[in-house]
Each structure stands twice: as structure tokens, then as C-alpha cells.
Amino acid sequence: MRYLTFALAKGRLAKTTMAMFEKLGITCEAMKDKETRKLIFVNEDMKLKFFLAKASDVPTYVEYGAADVGVVGEDTILEEGRNIYEVMDLGFGKCRMCVCGPESAREMLRSGELIRVASKYPGIAKDYFYNKKFQTVEIIKLNGSVELAPIVGLSEVIVDIVETGSTLKANGLHVLEEICDLSARMVVNPVSLKMEQDRIRRLIADLKSLTRAGGNA
Ligand code: PRP
């Protein structure tokens, strides 16, 4: 039997995924060591490999078949636009993609003024403003702490993830428009889905039973 390889977005998504897998008897003890700097972990008995990757790289590993299966946020899947199959909503990591800014920007959005939009997700921002709202904007790509942009005058608004809303609140910003709901998704390489159909479909079925029973929290 060949190894089935999983690419997990490192951090909270990987931890929640492994907690879910553990409920199905899929374990990887070495991954629980908080001190470890290892990036790849093996369960020899089950012929499984898990590796931790930067979220935005997970769809790339899966598209090229370096991983058969990936777990990553819907935001990253939408932004990366890779040739992968999205097979399951894992039901955790729930948040929203929103246009945010100071209250004063609300009118600018409504009147369709040429505004600047800062985001870690230029693809999602472009699709929203150009294809859904038919509004011309200037998009500025940032890599983090995007809430800074409207505060220091880089942009009028941002397109970003809102989970609890506490980052916005702490910085005097508001949700001005909602783009979509997001959550953690399981993605699969199209060839792997054919070659390892039984193992992957069984895993999806088990995970679906677990989420139905509320075991994904
Ligand atoms: C994300 C996101 C927001 C924040 C939202 O940032 O980009 O800034 O979390 O969460 P909240 O609504 O619960 O406050 P992240 O922590 O990933 O850091 P980054 O902006 O530096 O990428």
C-alpha cells in the first residue's frame, strides 16, 4: 500500500484537523510534540504521511500531487484558484470575508468612487469589485496586519477575514459589506481521487458522520 499524503495548513487548522482525525482512530503522536521543528510526520501502520505547510501553499502541493489531500481555508482556495477538487466542508474555522473600513468609507463604496482596497486576497477583492459589483477600484496587495492600511491612509477600505471582529473593533474599523462565509475545507488532487478512491472516499464518509454527530468542534 502506498502512503496517502496530507498537506495541512500549519497552525490552528492543522491542530483541529488532527483532533478530528484522532476521533476516527487516525493518530500521529509525533505531531503533538510542541518543541518539534519537524514538518513531516508518518503513521507507518496506516501508511499515512502528514506535512505542515504555509496555508497559501497547500493548494499548490495538492494540485501537483505532492499531497493527495489538503486541509485549508476556503479563503486560500478561492484566492489560489488551483486545479483541485474541494470535497468537504469540515465545519470549523468559520469566518467571513468582508469589506471593512471606517464608517466614513461607507458612502464612498455606495457612490462607486475610485477607491483603494488593500488586501492579502487581491484575487478575491478583484473578483468581488469587478465581477460582482462592477466597480473599478485600485487593489493594493499586502501580506498581513491589513487593518493598518485605512488607519495610516494607504487605502480607503480593506478586504479581509473577520472571525471574532475584535481586530476591527480594537482599530476603530467596521464591516461595511460581506463578501462570503468561509470555513476549513478538504481538497483532493484529481488523480489521487481516482487512484486512491476507496481510502479517500472512506475517509470523507467517516468525517461526514463525525461532523453530523458534532465531533468537529
Ligand atoms: C486575521 C485577519 C484579521 C484577523 C481577524 O489575521 O487577517 O486581521 O485575523 O480575526 P478577528 O476577527 O478574530 O479579530 P491574522 O491573525 O491571520 O494575522 P495577519 O493579519 O498578520 O495575517
Side-chain angles (χ1 to χ4, degrees), residues 120-121 143-147 160-168:
K120 283 188 286 189
Y121 304 94
N143 296 299
S145 302
V146 182
E147 289 82 0
D160 201 17
I161 286 173
V162 179
E163 192 180 350
T164 61
S166 51
T167 311
L168 288 181

Side-chain angles (χ1 to χ4, degrees), residues 1-4 43-48 196 199 202:
M1 193 163 52
R2 71 183 270 274
Y3 285 100
L4 198 63
N43 179 324
E44 282 297 347
D45 298 337
M46 303 180 97
K47 286 280 180 243
L48 299 173
E196 293 291 336
R199 291 170 88 190
R202 201 176 322 126

Side-chain angles (χ1 to χ4, degrees), residues 97-99 124-125 128-129 132 159-160 177-181:
M97 185 64 73
C98 299
V99 180
I124 294 174
Y128 177 69
F129 280 101
K132 299 205 171 71
V159 164
D160 201 17
E177 291 175 2
E178 290 192 20
I179 299 178
C180 60
D181 288 326

